[in-house]
Amino acid sequence: MGWTQLHLVDSEGMEVLPSIKAGVESAFGWVVSTYPNLDPAVLAEWAEEIGSAMQENKNTHATPRRYAYAAMHGRVRDYLKTRASKETSEGSSLELEKWAGVDADAQARIERKIFFQELGTKLEERDQAILALLLQDVTSAASVGKVLGISESAAAKAIQRLKLRIASFVGSSRIKSGDAGHDFQNLCETKG
């Protein structure tokens, strides 16, 4: 967020003094770079409020820049201290997902994709190739054998061994995570 997006005016809508404007813009830039996880729009609102208050009391600030830094830092510090008690959730996660248009199966697809990527790192090169084919719906032993340059029966055995490795990996993952509720039996089925 650029400093030019700050709307620094007093309570009557008149632009603040150039020294106040420079001080607030500098303090705003410092806070944005120091606290990148805070919402820049909220920080801009605070900076505009501070600029307006400084303009109202313009004769009491010897160094507007120092005052603006202290005021912005104070606002951030207070926010970080109290934000947990002020946060409220709106609606359930299902309502939010529905409102955002999230597909109900999206999380399962993401988890499945991550699972197969992780699985691919634990397999030998030939099994990785077979897994890639199965995930692309090349599931017949004849097709897999043709791509790999092996016989159909050898491809069928290789596919079966890969399925057993996947099953053993899934079994060990379930035991580690304590989750036996997912059914991974139909992740990749061969046709014929």
Side-chain angles (χ1 to χ4, degrees):
M1 172 176 239
W3 293 313
T4 57
Q5 295 180 349
L6 293 179
H7 184 64
L8 297 171
V9 295
D10 62 10
S11 60
E12 297 173 2
M14 302 298 293
E15 193 168 315
V16 299
L17 293 174
S19 60
I20 292 173
K21 182 177 182 180
V24 171
E25 287 177 344
S26 179
F28 172 72
W30 170 75
V31 169
V32 167
S33 65
T34 305
Y35 300 96
N37 294 331
L38 293 180
D39 186 358
V42 172
L43 297 175
E45 182 180 344
W46 293 345
E48 291 167 356
E49 290 172 0
I50 290 169
S52 179
M54 287 175 68
Q55 182 69 18
E56 298 295 321
N57 303 310
K58 60 186 166 210
N59 296 329
T60 60
H61 308 297
T63 56
R65 183 174 179 199
R66 186 178 298 165
Y67 183 87
Y69 271 79
M72 285 296 290
H73 185 258
R75 286 276 183 110
V76 170
R77 186 185 62 240
D78 290 345
Y79 172 75
L80 293 174
K81 279 186 192 175
T82 62
R83 72 175 176 183
S85 63
K86 292 183 178 180
E87 289 181 357
T88 59
S89 61
E90 297 294 328
S92 68
S93 60
L94 284 175
E95 289 172 345
L96 292 173
E97 288 177 2
K98 189 175 181 180
W99 175 79
V102 175
D103 184 9
D105 295 329
Q107 186 65 33
R109 284 194 307 272
I110 292 169
E111 288 175 3
R112 186 171 287 138
K113 185 170 181 109
I114 292 169
F115 169 76
F116 282 121
Q117 287 175 347
E118 183 180 328
L119 181 64
T121 64
K122 298 181 185 319
L123 296 174
E124 296 173 9
E125 188 175 331
R126 185 171 100 167
D127 287 340
Q128 288 177 2
I130 294 170
L131 179 61
L133 291 170
L134 294 175
L135 291 172
Q136 296 172 15
D137 287 332
V138 177
T139 56
S140 72
S143 299
V144 171
K146 185 176 180 182
V147 170
L148 295 177
I150 58 176
S151 69
E152 183 176 343
S153 63
K157 288 180 184 179
I159 291 170
Q160 187 60 35
R161 281 193 298 268
L162 175 62
K163 285 183 173 184
L164 292 173
R165 285 188 188 103
I166 291 172
S168 69
F169 183 76
V170 170
S172 67
S173 297
R174 280 189 200 162
I175 292 168
K176 288 178 188 174
S177 69
D179 178 20
H182 294 292
D183 182 14
F184 290 103
Q185 291 178 9
N186 297 322
L187 288 177
C188 51
E189 294 184 18
T190 57
K191 299 173 191 167

